[in-house]
Amino acid sequence: MSELWRVNGVELAVDAAGDGPVVLLVHGFPDLGITWHRQVPTLVEAGYRVLVPDLRGYGDSSRPAGRSSYAASEIGRDLIGLLDHEGVDRAHVVGHDWGAQCVWALGLDHPDRLLSLTGLSVPHTRPAPAPPIEILRRRLGEEFYQVRFQAEGVAEQALERDVAATLAAAFDDDFEAIGRPVGPRDRPAWMSAELFDHLVAVFRRTGFAGGLSYYRNIDDNWRAASARDLDRIEAPSLFLTGSTDPVAAFMRVDESLFADLRVVVVEGAGHWVHQQAPDRVGAALLEHLRRADELAA
């Protein structure tokens, strides 16, 4: 059962389990903390304390108004607030999708709080030469999903028209179909009916406004990244992705931005690699965490 933790002016619904060094698992869009359920027992059994929040805008966590409330820097302060709530100086932080975007920023903004970083599916890259939405609009058009998501109210209505179809498209890596009237579609075979039905019920209750607000900060996040003095992440880092992840078509990891980076590609997996290949992801993650623990000792 999740507890509500007050951090950084919001309440986050957090599941906590185990004892030992803290591992913080950060979900993406359109997702919830529960989708880390295949990793939590592995980490607890290995001797870690695992914190799994629903990010602001999701589930039972606060859904503050205003686009700027969902900037990567604000999410970073939430995550640091969770460590403060636990009373720990440093932790391992793992993020998927938008969670990855936010934890890479954490590596630059709060390096002293990290034992290690792991990003799944979305890599750390150099800031683009111009605002990213402008580039995406020019190269991929108005109908590219990240561009469509900028339209406040319109995008929410489109995604909430058929929540089950929206989630099925997302989890099938068919991002361009999200929020389009494509008719009913089934969940992917790798996701249980119980989990899918739970996610549908939650998003029917909360809507997608919170999650879409992360996309509406893309250009502001880019401005913040462009203004940083630092661009190299010093913490031991792991980038883990699936070989068929469509994100690779427009984002590539830049290894020069890391002091210590390992890359793992899981053959046959797509964007939701930690759910599609939990055993392989769990093994790679544990190896990374243990190596970082040895370096910190």
Side-chain angles (χ1 to χ4, degrees), residues 8 22-26 53 55 71-84 89-95 98-119 124 221 224-225 228 230-237 258:
N8 192 32
V22 168
V23 181
L24 176 57
L25 301 178
V26 187
L55 294 177
S73 59
E74 203 65 57
I75 307 307
R77 284 188 280 272
D78 288 353
L79 301 180
I80 295 301
L82 294 177
L83 304 189
D84 292 341
D89 292 329
R90 301 169 73 200
H92 301 283
V93 185
V94 182
W98 264 104
Q101 289 271 47
C102 293
V103 305
W104 294 136
L106 202 69
L108 298 170
D109 294 337
H110 303 277
D112 57 318
R113 303 302 300 272
L114 303 173
L115 290 168
S116 76
L117 276 181
T118 301
H124 177 45
N221 292 339
R228 282 193 187 98
L230 299 176
D231 62 6
R232 191 173 89 149
I233 292 174
E234 297 295 329
S237 297
F258 296 85

Side-chain angles (χ1 to χ4, degrees), residues 33-243:
I34 194 174
T35 52
W36 290 106
H37 70 288
R38 300 292 295 274
Q39 282 69 51
V40 172
T42 300
L43 293 168
V44 170
E45 184 178 345
Y48 291 96
R49 177 159 174 79
V50 185
L51 308 182
V52 189
D54 286 345
L55 294 177
R56 60 168 64 197
Y58 290 91
D60 290 329
S61 295
S62 297
R63 296 191 291 278
R67 176 176 56 80
S68 62
S69 296
Y70 299 88
S73 59
E74 203 65 57
I75 307 307
R77 284 188 280 272
D78 288 353
L79 301 180
I80 295 301
L82 294 177
L83 304 189
D84 292 341
H85 188 281
E86 277 288 281
V88 297
D89 292 329
R90 301 169 73 200
H92 301 283
V93 185
V94 182
H96 171 256
D97 186 75
W98 264 104
Q101 289 271 47
C102 293
V103 305
W104 294 136
L106 202 69
L108 298 170
D109 294 337
H110 303 277
D112 57 318
R113 303 302 300 272
L114 303 173
L115 290 168
S116 76
L117 276 181
T118 301
L120 279 63
S121 303
V122 173
H124 177 45
T125 62
R126 293 186 186 279
I133 293 300
E134 173 187 315
I135 295 173
L136 292 172
R137 181 175 279 117
R138 186 170 64 248
R139 292 182 179 176
L140 299 174
E142 293 289 341
E143 292 305 305
F144 183 63
Y145 75 100
Q146 294 187 21
V147 177
R148 285 191 287 118
F149 287 177
Q150 302 303 309
E152 294 190 31
V154 175
E156 283 86 340
Q157 184 178 23
L159 270 63
E160 292 163 14
R161 184 181 302 115
D162 187 338
V163 170
T166 291
L167 293 177
F171 292 127
D172 202 30
D173 288 357
D174 190 0
F175 302 148
E176 290 306 309
I178 296 174
R180 286 177 163 166
V182 294
R185 58 192 300 166
D186 293 331
R187 61 179 169 81
W190 50 261
M191 178 176 280
S192 71
E194 181 181 12
L195 177 57
F196 184 75
D197 290 346
H198 172 75
L199 294 171
V200 171
V202 171
F203 280 103
R204 279 178 177 159
R205 173 171 59 84
T206 66
F208 293 96
L212 289 169
S213 294
Y214 288 69
Y215 286 91
R216 292 166 188 159
N217 276 277
I218 287 175
D219 283 354
D220 284 351
N221 292 339
W222 167 80
R223 292 183 186 94
S226 299
R228 282 193 187 98
D229 293 330
L230 299 176
D231 62 6
R232 191 173 89 149
I233 292 174
E234 297 295 329
S237 297
L238 171 67
F239 176 58
L240 199 154
T241 188
S243 63

Side-chain angles (χ1 to χ4, degrees), residues 9 29-30 111 124 170 184 204 227 247 256 278:
F29 174 90
H124 177 45
R204 279 178 177 159
V247 171
S256 71

